[in-house]
Amino acid sequence: MDYVSALLPPVVMAAFFTAVIVTIVKSQGGPNKAKEDAAVDAAFARAEAVRQSDSGSAA
């Protein structure tokens, strides 16, 4: 029975990892994809504006 206790943790972790990957893949796209993409684009634009204002004031 030692082999069962030795194999149980990796099997449980593999099942959990598979469930996480499946959840991530299923949550991609869908009706909220455009809204999520717009939020990311806005965050990148804000970061770029801050970076440019910092380099403009330092020069």
Side-chain angles (χ1 to χ4, degrees):
M1 287 311 251
D2 287 338
Y3 63 91
V4 173
S5 61
L7 289 176
L8 187 61
V11 169
V12 170
M13 289 301 294
F16 178 73
F17 181 73
T18 301
V20 167
I21 297 300
V22 167
T23 302
I24 290 171
V25 169
K26 283 186 176 181
S27 68
Q28 299 301 305
N32 292 328
K33 182 171 177 32
K35 186 168 56 171
E36 292 168 359
D37 288 347
V40 171
D41 290 341
F44 278 134
R46 283 192 302 270
E48 183 66 22
V50 169
R51 187 180 68 81
Q52 287 181 353
S53 69
D54 286 347
S55 63
S57 63

